[in-house]
Structure formats: C-alpha cells, structure tokens
Amino acid sequence: MTRLPLFRPLALCVVAAAGLASPSLQAQATVEATFAGGCFWCMEPPYDKQPGVSATISGYIGGELENPSYEDISRGGTSHAEAVQVEYDPEEISYSQLLDIFWRNIDPFAVDRQFCDVGDQYRSAIFYHNEEQRELAEASKTDMEARFDKDIATQIVPATAFWPAEEYHQDYYQKNPVRYKFYRFSCGRDGRLDEVWGEEAGGPEF
C-alpha cells in the first residue's frame, strides 16, 4: 500500500489556515477616520479621489438618539452632526494627510454652521478613534490657529456611535451630479473656501 508523505496533511492545514486568516489580516489593514464638515455630500468627493481610501460613508455622529433619520437631524436638537466616515489604508495615506484634506474643505471659523447650512448638526468636528488620532488632530488645530492667528471653532472629540445615513445620501454627488453642483454653488461653499484657503481650497490630492 502506498503511503502519503506525512508532511502533506500538515501542509494542507497550514495552507487552509492561511486562507482563513487572509480576510482578517486584510480587514486589519483598513482603519477609520471620521470628520464633520457641514453637508456630508460635500465631504465625500475630496476623500474618494485619494489613493488608499477604500470607502466614504455619510452618516450621523455625536448624539444619543439611536438610528437617527435625516428628518431627525434636520430638525436639530439631537446633538448629532452630519459627518463622513473614511475607511483608509494607513500604508497608503496617513491620518495627517486626511487632516490636511479636512481643513481645506471647511470654514474653520464658523460656529454651529458651515456655509449656508445653519445649526449644530452642521458644525465642524474631528471625531478621533484613538489616542494617536487625538494627538494629531490637536496638533493640526494648533497649527491652524498659528497660521491664521485666530481661534478655530472646529471641535476635537471622541468618536461615538456612527449611524450611516439613508442610501440616497450615499455618493449623492455621483448619483445626482446636477443637483449636487447646484446645491454646492448656491450654498456658497466654494466661494468661501477660496476666501479662506486660496489656492489650497479643496485640499491636496496625494
């Protein structure tokens, strides 16, 4: 009787285990960053075009109401902010680079508003997920205050439960490009970004 080499079952187990481990290892390569910069429709595009960003998700964060709807947020009083959650590979793009993009897509001096949208649901904020993100966010805010010699209104707070917005809000700028461009223009977003940031408005593309 022919015997199979003893190493083969062990080798097959190793290969199988490696195959099972791959999705987990791949998942660990992606981390999250969460930014509020007014209307979440406008915060997706600058991140979607960046290498290393695998997804942007519009949603709500910062309040206690569970599973809030857009109508809940629009009425105000829930303490949530419209935000975008960025899933990215830190080997391809750093958190500091994501912060560079964030600042140049907001009005950092506006309190409880961004451009034509008024209310604390449109406040600017950085929601950090760990201590490293907090330190980098605070350092970047300090740099911005030094640059402008002016107080920055943007909050830096711990990330809480993030609730994805309704499906029609996701990738709105791609699904409804004409309406998106009209809203963005009529809200004065680009005009104000040009006033604050000049040629840097909209942020770099890495």
Side-chain angles (χ1 to χ4, degrees):
M1 181 177 68
T2 303
R3 294 179 180 274
L4 292 172
L6 293 177
F7 70 89
R8 286 180 65 92
L10 178 59
L12 290 172
C13 287
V14 171
V15 171
L20 290 172
S22 296
S24 175
L25 292 174
Q26 189 174 19
Q28 291 177 8
T30 301
V31 295
E32 297 173 346
T34 308
F35 305 108
C39 176
F40 43 32
W41 296 346
C42 299
M43 292 301 290
E44 287 188 359
Y47 288 109
D48 280 339
K49 65 184 180 181
Q50 302 295 337
V53 172
S54 56
T56 55
I57 304 168
S58 288
Y60 316 112
I61 190 171
E64 295 184 0
L65 179 65
E66 294 189 0
N67 198 26
S69 68
Y70 181 68
E71 288 71 23
D72 293 327
I73 304 304
S74 298
R75 285 193 293 265
T78 71
S79 297
H80 289 86
E82 286 196 12
V84 63
Q85 185 166 279
V86 181
E87 297 179 0
Y88 70 101
D89 182 350
E91 295 295 322
E92 294 189 54
I93 189 167
S94 69
Y95 187 71
S96 292
Q97 289 173 317
L98 297 181
L99 288 169
D100 287 342
I101 297 164
F102 167 75
W103 289 116
R104 290 158 180 81
N105 280 279
I106 68 164
D107 178 350
F109 312 117
V111 178
D112 287 342
R113 68 178 298 157
Q114 282 290 296
F115 315 104
C116 69
D117 295 315
V118 180
D120 66 351
Q121 65 269 41
Y122 298 111
R123 66 189 181 274
S124 66
I126 300 168
F127 294 89
Y128 60 85
H129 291 263
N130 54 48
E131 186 64 15
E132 180 183 12
Q133 288 188 358
R134 182 190 68 78
E135 291 177 356
L136 290 171
E138 290 184 348
S140 71
K141 182 176 179 178
T142 298
D143 289 343
M144 290 299 147
E145 290 181 329
R147 168 178 174 158
F148 292 103
D149 192 23
K150 189 174 180 180
D151 289 341
I152 299 295
T154 303
Q155 300 174 357
I156 299 176
V157 291
T160 54
F162 179 86
W163 304 94
E166 295 81 349
E167 181 58 32
Y168 72 90
H169 286 299
Q170 309 301 333
D171 301 317
Y172 188 88
Y173 74 100
Q174 294 177 329
K175 297 173 181 175
N176 302 280
V178 175
R179 290 182 179 181
Y180 169 73
K181 289 177 182 177
F182 177 77
Y183 159 76
R184 188 178 180 110
F185 174 78
S186 61
C187 199
R189 191 177 191 107
D190 291 320
R192 178 57 178 158
L193 289 178
D194 287 340
E195 288 180 9
V196 175
W197 297 103
E199 294 181 355
E200 296 178 35
E205 186 171 347
F206 295 103

